Amino acid sequence: MTRFWTRLIVVLTVILGVNYIAWRWLASLNWEAWWIAVPLVIAETYSLIDVMLFGLTVWNLKIRKPPPPPPADATVDVFITTYNEPFDLVMTTALAAKDIRWPHSTWILDDGNRPEMRELAESNGIGYVTRTADWTPEMPRHAKAGNLNNALMLTSGEYLLILDADQIPEPDILDKTLGYFNDDRVALVQTPQYFINVPADDPLGSQAPLFYGPIQQGKDGWNAAFFCGSNAILRREALMQLGLVGYVKATEQSIKRALAASKQAIKKARRSPEAANPLVEQMLNEVEAATNTAQQELEARVSLSEITYRVRRKVDEAVRTLVAADFSALEADLEEIAAMELAHVGEGGVTTVATDAVDRMSGRDWSPLGALESVHAVLDAISVERTDEAQPVMPLATISVTEDMATSMRLHGLGWKSVYHHEVLANGLAPEDLKTMLTQRLRWAQGTIQVLLRENPLTQRNLAWGQRLMYFSTMWTYLSGFAAVVYFAAPIIYLTLGILPVSSLSWDFFIRFIPFMVVNQLLFLVAGHGIPTWRGQQYSLALFPTWIKSCTTAARNVWFGRPLGFAVTPKARQSGGPSWSLIRPQIIVAVLLAVAMVVGIARLLTGLAEPLGTLVNVFWVAFDLVVLSVLVKAVLYKGFVPEESVPAVVAGPESPDERNADAV
């Protein structure tokens, strides 16, 4: 019955929303103030799409029954990831993991490479894994994803339970989840994350009952419930298949790029005076023909090592033929080749051609021998026989600062299934101060936007359309920061300047807008079954600087290669008093809103403002101030000591969605 009412309200919300937005675009824009009117209607259109994606999510809610008994011979490795967390915190989780009833092996994956941590683990009969080949004091390569990938190569359990250092598992976590793997196409079982150090009013918005509830259950109905980084069980076979497929794909792309760059270098070399020499022309023709053949073989799925070997051999022959000749430009060309950064380690551990090298090869006028040497150098740089990479296969995705979403999206693309098990089976610790919370939310958002820019789910052909939209809906929510700026600006502009972004606040406006907003809120009430969502709605607007920063920094990282870094979320309250500077943009906005309210009321009392428009915008400003007020409590928050260590309800994020789910 709940599904019926949910779907009915979804249909009403979409009809009323489309009716309102269509009217806004076609009949209500104040073109004399287009500079605020157009951004406002774009922001409203964004919000309508957000609502529609949420409606699509809850359209197919899946309420699962308990799974059958687990496979009797299932072997499990429990992975506890850590970098710099306190030893006692890690050991509390590790000892609880060791006490899990199902037979298993417990491993501490310590990317901090700390001897004390190793000693504690071994003295308690717990396995210890670290990375030494690529370890640096700052941060090992690929962060948590690299840590997990490294452990995959050193262990053998058929299934993997992944826990963050603060997520204490229940003894029956495997008994209640392994049964889903009787379906041999299930690759992932995700359980909720719940935080025991959060008070009832949740001032930092840490609990996420809407996400770990209707949203994940809805995604589960579309076979799109995704990995959230912790409290999840994964099938090793699926991850290893993902790693091998990813390695081959990345290598193919690198070879394709190298061959294209090589052809550009040869094309440039034909313009040099030496190219008129018949011998030089013959050598360039042969190398170009070998490159063309290699491109055809790449499309025909010929062995990658054979492709690069044959081209390099042809280049070697051409170089030996020409090397005795005296070309005046050779020395400068060799210096250019030596100066180029030819390759770097990319996604999946594959050595890829550096963008700078390709650009310089394409843009420089080469001598013939210099061109051949540049081709040789770039092919050597991406040779698939390279042995200097300790771990060429990377099962968990490393394309973003969060490994979870991209990994599960790729698993779904390979035809694997996922499960969301709606029961708290591990208890963790949420941030205890605003600075830590903002760091955590920024990392989540940056990782999600990186995935959107690098592997947009809407273009992933191997995903079903339902799956594409479920992943895209999560990514879409992080664009809400830009809409929030417009929502704050519009009432300020009207109350201070009297400029209305709509043609008029007529009956046509209210008869369309109010029913849409009422049904929109009703959708949350019905889909959430009474779950509190107000705190999430506050933070979806109040953290607009964080969402905007995540979009801009992730875009710079993807498009221009600027590093993001990786900050491990501290598990203890950071020292120091209230830091108002953390919310300086929100304070400025709040002051502007308050001033606008005073000015608007003064204009109304002096007869300079239209009453209806002023009252509507004063109410709007008051709502915005209530939304922003949550940050005052967040700045002053001093942490919480729970009375009980066992939660009673489901909630809590370590996933991308209701980190900002209520943006709709």
Side-chain angles (χ1 to χ4, degrees):
M1 198 63 178
T2 301
R3 174 175 288 190
F4 167 79
W5 287 110
T6 299
R7 290 184 172 182
L8 177 62
I9 296 173
V10 167
V11 171
L12 288 175
T13 302
V14 171
I15 292 173
L16 293 173
V18 170
N19 176 61
Y20 170 70
I21 293 300
W23 176 80
R24 288 283 287 113
W25 277 103
L26 298 175
S28 73
L29 288 181
N30 180 8
W31 289 106
E32 293 182 359
W34 63 269
W35 46 273
I36 183 60
V38 173
L40 180 58
V41 74
I42 290 175
E44 290 179 301
T45 304
Y46 163 85
S47 296
L48 173 62
I49 295 172
D50 214 10
V51 170
M52 293 170 70
L53 289 170
F54 176 75
L56 184 67
T57 300
V58 299
W59 183 270
N60 218 17
L61 282 173
K62 191 163 193 173
I63 310 300
R64 288 185 177 270
K65 297 179 180 178
D73 57 348
T75 59
V76 182
D77 287 317
V78 178
F79 288 168
I80 300 160
T81 58
T82 178
Y83 175 59
N84 60 3
E85 291 85 353
F87 297 136
D88 58 344
L89 183 145
V90 178
M91 288 307 302
T92 298
T93 300
L95 291 172
K98 185 180 178 182
D99 289 339
I100 291 174
R101 287 199 290 262
W102 188 268
H104 66 284
S105 298
T106 302
W107 301 87
I108 293 176
L109 315 186
D110 181 22
D111 253 356
N113 197 16
R114 297 167 290 179
E116 300 91 339
M117 189 79 261
R118 177 190 292 273
E119 182 179 345
L120 282 170
E122 292 177 349
S123 64
N124 285 279
I126 296 170
Y128 179 87
V129 173
T130 190
R131 291 189 283 173
T132 55
D134 59 357
W135 186 87
T136 63
E138 294 77 21
M139 174 59 70
R141 190 167 60 222
H142 302 314
K144 181 179 174 181
N147 191 6
L148 290 167
N149 285 331
N150 176 67
L152 273 168
M153 304 303 169
L154 302 174
T155 56
S156 59
E158 186 179 1
Y159 305 102
L160 313 169
L161 169 59
I162 297 176
L163 299 168
D164 282 345
D166 63 304
Q167 292 287 338
I168 301 174
E170 298 290 341
D172 57 354
I173 185 171
L174 294 176
D175 297 271
K176 292 185 174 182
T177 54
L178 282 178
Y180 291 111
F181 292 101
N182 285 304
D183 181 345
D184 60 9
R185 295 308 299 166
V186 169
L188 163 70
V189 176
Q190 178 66 55
T191 71
Q193 294 183 40
Y194 182 90
F195 302 112
I196 60 173
N197 61 331
V198 174
D201 60 347
D202 193 10
L204 298 181
S206 297
Q207 308 286 29
L210 189 64
F211 176 76
Y212 285 112
I215 289 180
Q216 274 283 50
Q217 288 174 310
K219 292 180 186 295
D220 196 18
W222 296 99
N223 187 29
F226 56 74
F227 179 34
C228 300
S230 183
N231 303 4
I233 303 91
L234 293 97
R235 187 188 295 267
R236 180 185 294 271
E237 175 192 355
L239 288 175
M240 295 310 296
Q241 180 192 5
L242 185 62
L244 292 171
V245 170
Y247 179 78
V248 172
K249 180 180 178 181
T251 302
E252 287 178 346
Q253 292 174 342
S254 187
I255 292 175
K256 185 180 295 185
R257 187 176 179 85
L259 294 174
S262 300
K263 291 183 69 173
Q264 285 295 320
I266 294 171
K267 182 179 179 180
K268 292 282 186 179
R270 292 188 185 280
R271 301 175 184 173
S272 68
E274 296 94 331
N277 185 310
L279 180 61
V280 172
E281 183 179 7
Q282 177 186 347
M283 293 298 100
L284 291 177
N285 288 340
E286 289 183 4
V287 173
E288 186 173 33
T291 303
N292 289 333
T293 300
Q295 289 178 321
Q296 295 170 3
E297 291 176 337
L298 191 61
E299 296 297 327
R301 319 296 293 181
V302 175
S303 167
L304 301 180
S305 60
E306 288 295 321
I307 292 173
T308 57
Y309 171 73
R310 281 194 285 269
V311 178
R312 287 158 57 210
R313 187 176 64 179
K314 179 57 67 177
V315 173
D316 284 337
E317 293 173 357
V319 169
R320 283 196 297 269
T321 302
L322 297 178
V323 76
D326 181 17
F327 296 109
S328 59
L330 176 59
E331 184 176 353
D333 288 340
L334 292 178
E335 290 177 356
E336 177 73 9
I337 295 168
M340 288 194 299
E341 181 188 354
L342 294 172
H344 63 85
V345 178
E347 164 66 4
V350 178
T351 305
T352 61
V353 179
T355 302
D356 178 68
V358 174
D359 293 340
R360 293 170 73 174
M361 286 179 66
S362 302
R364 193 181 194 281
D365 290 328
W366 294 98
S367 70
L369 188 54
L372 295 179
E373 284 293 343
S374 71
V375 172
H376 196 286
V378 78
L379 289 173
D380 277 348
I382 55 91
S383 170
V384 297
E385 292 96 349
R386 286 177 63 92
T387 58
D388 57 348
E389 278 299 316
Q391 188 179 325
V393 176
M394 298 283 192
L396 277 86
T398 59
I399 63 170
S400 80
V401 292
T402 54
E403 75 293 336
D404 43 21
M405 179 184 288
T407 297
S408 54
M409 187 168 72
R410 291 176 178 183
L411 287 171
H412 283 129
L414 290 177
W416 292 95
K417 298 178 183 178
S418 64
V419 168
Y420 173 65
H421 181 81
H422 187 55
E423 180 182 8
V424 174
L425 296 173
N427 310 301
L429 300 177
E432 295 194 341
D433 60 273
L434 180 62
K435 181 178 181 181
T436 303
M437 183 268 276
L438 293 176
T439 299
Q440 185 184 63
R441 302 295 175 88
L442 177 63
R443 189 182 80 241
W444 287 341
Q446 285 174 329
T448 304
I449 297 300
Q450 282 179 307
V451 177
L452 172 64
L453 296 177
R454 287 186 168 131
E455 295 184 4
N456 187 333
L458 297 181
T459 64
Q460 302 303 308
R461 296 181 180 179
N462 292 330
L463 292 175
W465 267 107
Q467 292 174 318
R468 297 187 205 188
L469 291 172
M470 289 302 98
Y471 280 105
F472 182 73
S473 66
T474 297
M475 300 167 183
W476 182 255
T477 61
Y478 283 116
L479 304 179
S480 64
F482 301 101
V485 171
V486 180
Y487 288 142
F488 290 135
I492 294 174
I493 291 171
Y494 176 77
L495 292 173
T496 56
L497 303 176
I499 298 174
L500 195 65
V502 297
S503 55
S504 67
L505 288 175
S506 63
W507 175 253
D508 287 338
F509 172 80
F510 290 105
I511 201 174
R512 288 173 171 83
F513 176 74
I514 293 177
F516 170 52
M517 291 303 298
V518 170
V519 175
N520 182 18
Q521 291 302 309
L522 186 60
L523 175 59
F524 280 99
L525 291 175
V526 173
H529 306 294
I531 292 173
T533 62
W534 171 239
R535 188 65 80 219
Q537 292 184 57
Q538 283 185 292
Y539 274 112
S540 69
L541 285 172
L543 295 187
F544 70 94
T546 300
W547 311 141
I548 293 173
K549 182 178 179 180
S550 71
C551 292
T552 56
T553 54
R556 287 199 298 266
N557 171 260
V558 173
W559 293 335
F560 305 109
R562 297 186 183 180
L564 289 176
F566 184 92
V568 176
T569 303
K571 299 302 186 291
R573 178 175 174 80
Q574 302 302 288
S575 59
S579 182
W580 297 100
S581 62
L582 294 172
I583 57 169
R584 185 178 292 113
Q586 292 95 325
I587 293 174
I588 293 172
V589 168
V591 170
L592 291 175
L593 287 168
V595 170
M597 178 183 288
V598 173
V599 172
I601 294 174
R603 284 168 52 85
L604 177 62
L605 295 176
T606 56
L608 297 176
E610 189 271 327
L612 182 59
T614 300
L615 292 176
V616 169
N617 280 274
V618 165
F619 176 80
W620 189 349
V621 166
F623 175 81
D624 287 343
L625 289 173
V626 171
V627 166
L628 293 173
S629 68
V630 68
L631 294 173
V632 176
K633 192 167 186 177
V635 171
L636 299 175
Y637 180 58
K638 297 181 179 180
F640 173 74
V641 178
E643 295 181 1
E644 299 180 2
S645 60
V646 180
V649 295
V650 172
E654 174 61 88
S655 82
D657 226 354
E658 184 168 83
R659 308 160 182 178
N660 191 25
D662 286 312
V664 293

